[in-house]
Amino acid sequence: MKNGKKAKSLALDLLFMLVGSMVYAVSVNAFTAPNNIAPGGVTGIATMLNYLFATPIGLVVFLINVPIILWAVLEIGYKLVAKTIVAIVLSSVMIDLFSWFIPVYRGDPILVALLAGVCEGVGLSLTFIRGATTGGTDMIARLLGRRMPHLSMGKLMLAIDGLVVLASAFVFQGIDNAIYACIVIFVSTSIIDSILYGTDVGTGKLFFVMSPKVQEMGDRIMDELDRGVTYLDSKGGYSKTPGETLLCAVRRFEVYQIQAIIREVDRNAFVIVGDAGEIAGEGFKPVHSDDKPLKELLQGMKSKNDKKKET
């Protein structure tokens, strides 16, 4: 049963990342690259290099991400970046593959930026929703954040993207191109937020649900989402009726699934949804991660070999 669920989850991971990569490739090849728009990140850098030297965007995206991924493996561990490696390969391949046949749109620049932002936002959301990223800005910000914990990831990502956008104004010799890039970034991030409701596995949403059917809701949440729930004894302040309140912490992109279950079980349920600044424990950010950077793994292997030689 568990193997079946794992296989289904892996299949969904690949499907979402594949479709997401295809939609993202449309954004790059139909809108941003042909119109000299570099909307931040590694893809923005690759777009500028394509303009200057006619290098393939997808290939350059992959090559730039290689040292970033190696850095991530050394600093974070291979488990947390495994999906990201797959997403990077898929997006790089799709960008160069789609460049052969995707029609280019060179209409109103504002419309170009809006359409690019929509495609980019949807494409990245499909990747993020399965716990992966496309490397680049997000991964660099994560890694820098470990060295500079006083700076938030949002500020680090903004700084990196800002430098790329600023550079694009000089490369394309026009401030307009940089402004359109800012529009793409704003639209795409807004769409990502609206679709995913946030993506960081270390933060999430906290549900308090009051209903006579919380047991049924809890059973479905545990069965369908594999999320733990807690039942709290409660009593209505006005009615004085004793009952139970369901408490459940979820990742942000799971919010819509929880809400759907609640609506299906009891449309009249009283629901409070709050922000959870940090969630640590099983299913979320581990209290003590069992993942190890490459350096520690090599040291562990060396210690084992030394012990074998002694025996």
Side-chain angles (χ1 to χ4, degrees):
M1 186 70 177
K2 284 186 178 180
N3 289 334
K5 281 188 176 182
K6 190 174 181 179
K8 183 180 178 182
S9 179
L10 287 173
L12 284 173
D13 287 344
L14 287 173
L15 178 62
F16 272 69
M17 286 189 280
L18 177 62
V19 175
S21 298
M22 293 168 71
V23 178
Y24 186 72
V26 171
S27 173
V28 174
N29 289 296
F31 303 113
T32 56
N35 292 282
N36 297 336
I37 298 174
V42 169
T43 305
I45 297 171
T47 300
M48 288 187 282
L49 292 174
N50 172 262
Y51 173 79
L52 294 170
F53 309 110
T55 51
I57 295 176
L59 178 61
V60 173
V61 167
F62 175 77
L63 292 176
I64 294 175
N65 270 302
V66 168
I68 297 173
I69 289 300
L70 291 176
W71 183 16
V73 171
L74 290 169
E75 288 279 333
I76 301 173
Y78 66 93
K79 292 180 183 177
L80 295 177
V81 297
K83 287 184 180 180
T84 291
I85 294 172
V86 175
I88 289 170
V89 172
L90 285 174
S91 61
S92 300
V93 170
M94 289 301 158
I95 287 171
D96 283 348
L97 181 64
F98 275 40
S99 67
W100 289 95
F101 59 86
I102 285 293
V104 173
Y105 178 77
R106 287 193 175 90
D108 186 300
I110 297 295
L111 190 56
V112 168
L114 292 174
L115 291 171
V118 170
C119 290
E120 182 177 309
V122 172
L124 291 177
S125 295
L126 291 172
T127 300
F128 292 166
I129 205 169
R130 300 306 299 180
T133 74
T134 53
T137 304
D138 177 62
M139 189 61 72
I140 292 172
R142 238 172 243 258
L143 292 167
L144 290 176
R146 296 169 69 89
R147 302 295 179 90
M148 296 179 284
H150 58 286
L151 294 175
S152 68
M153 266 197 65
K155 289 179 180 178
L156 289 169
M157 290 177 69
L158 182 62
I160 297 166
D161 283 335
L163 289 173
V164 175
V165 171
L166 184 62
S168 72
F170 292 97
V171 171
F172 299 130
Q173 298 181 350
I175 192 67
D176 291 351
N177 302 77
I179 293 172
Y180 298 139
C182 291
I183 294 173
V184 174
I185 293 171
F186 175 78
V187 173
S188 64
T189 52
S190 298
I191 286 176
I192 290 170
D193 284 345
S194 64
I195 292 177
L196 303 186
Y197 216 22
T199 59
D200 191 344
V201 297
T203 64
K205 291 288 180 178
L206 199 59
F207 273 82
F208 291 92
V209 185
M210 282 141 275
S211 164
K213 299 180 180 179
V214 291
Q215 292 280 347
E216 184 181 345
M217 293 176 192
D219 290 342
R220 285 193 56 182
I221 290 169
M222 289 186 287
D223 182 55
E224 297 174 24
L225 299 181
D226 199 24
R227 278 279 167 240
V229 300
T230 300
Y231 301 110
L232 307 174
D233 290 331
S234 58
K235 185 170 71 172
Y238 176 76
S239 65
K240 308 301 181 185
T241 304
E244 287 183 319
T245 297
L246 182 145
L247 169 64
C248 183
V250 299
R251 293 181 182 177
R252 293 175 183 266
F253 59 78
E254 294 171 325
V255 167
Y256 76 96
Q257 295 169 285
I258 299 289
Q259 289 173 331
I261 290 174
I262 294 170
R263 284 195 302 270
E264 289 171 13
V265 175
D266 184 4
R267 287 186 171 273
N268 298 315
F270 188 82
V271 184
I272 300 173
V273 184
D275 285 313
E278 181 175 357
I279 308 174
E282 187 176 352
F284 295 93
K285 182 191 295 182
V287 179
H288 299 290
S289 176
D290 63 346
D291 195 8
K292 296 179 180 179
L294 185 59
K295 186 178 179 181
E296 290 184 23
L297 288 173
L298 293 175
Q299 288 176 343
M301 292 172 63
K302 186 175 181 297
S303 298
K304 287 182 180 179
N305 290 332
D306 291 342
K307 287 181 179 178
K308 285 181 180 179
K309 288 178 182 178
E310 291 176 2
T311 56

